[in-house]
Amino acid sequence: MKETTPRLTEKEAQIMRLLWEHGPMTVRTMLGYYPAPAPHFNTVSTTVRILEEKGFAGHTAEGNTYRYFAAVGAEHFGERSLAQVVRNFFSNNYASVVSSLVRQEKVSVDELREILRAIEEGKEE
């Protein structure tokens, strides 16, 4: 089966989190958000260009530099990633995912009831 959603490496995900949290920025600005020792400028520059190739980021030219921005919203990316996990690890069965979360005590039964109530109220509107 062909992968339809490009995957992010941890380095790519780190840059996307920066863009989602802080908005458009240059590579030099990105480097300021890294804890010491920060990666090399060329490493971050190459990674953000890979993100552009994958369709996750874009840029605008500002003089001699580029300002990069997230081309995909965090929520949209999360939804696509969740669908991929459900497809690959739970045989596309969302009920199995919810059951697993309850068994692992990541979601309580009361929280599930609240989610169902909110969904039912949303359908009535």
Side-chain angles (χ1 to χ4, degrees):
M1 172 187 318
K2 176 146 175 41
E3 187 65 44
T4 57
T5 303
R7 294 179 185 221
L8 292 181
T9 66
E10 184 52 41
K11 288 179 182 181
E12 292 167 350
Q14 188 173 20
I15 289 172
M16 289 305 299
R17 282 190 295 274
L18 288 175
L19 294 173
W20 288 324
E21 291 172 17
H22 303 287
M25 66 182 84
T26 64
V27 170
R28 190 149 322 279
T29 303
M30 286 179 205
L31 289 170
Y33 287 103
Y34 282 88
H40 191 273
F41 181 93
N42 290 343
T43 301
V44 175
S45 181
T46 298
T47 305
V48 80
R49 283 196 312 270
I50 291 169
L51 285 167
E52 283 190 290
E53 291 171 11
K54 290 182 174 183
F56 291 110
H59 74 267
T60 56
E62 291 187 3
N64 294 335
T65 190
Y66 291 144
R67 181 171 300 277
Y68 294 94
F69 58 88
V72 175
E75 184 175 316
H76 177 70
F77 178 76
E79 289 169 359
R80 288 184 358 190
S81 297
L82 177 60
Q84 192 172 30
V85 167
V86 172
R87 183 176 57 250
N88 293 339
F89 299 104
F90 293 91
S91 301
N92 218 25
N93 184 329
Y94 284 80
S96 292
V97 175
V98 174
S99 177
S100 177
L101 291 171
V102 172
R103 276 194 315 275
Q104 295 176 33
E105 298 180 358
K106 305 289 184 189
V107 176
S108 71
V109 173
D110 288 339
E111 288 171 317
L112 283 177
R113 285 187 185 108
E114 182 63 26
I115 291 168
L116 287 172
R117 187 187 61 70
I119 291 169
E120 288 170 354
E121 287 176 2
K123 286 183 179 179
E124 292 174 7
E125 293 174 2

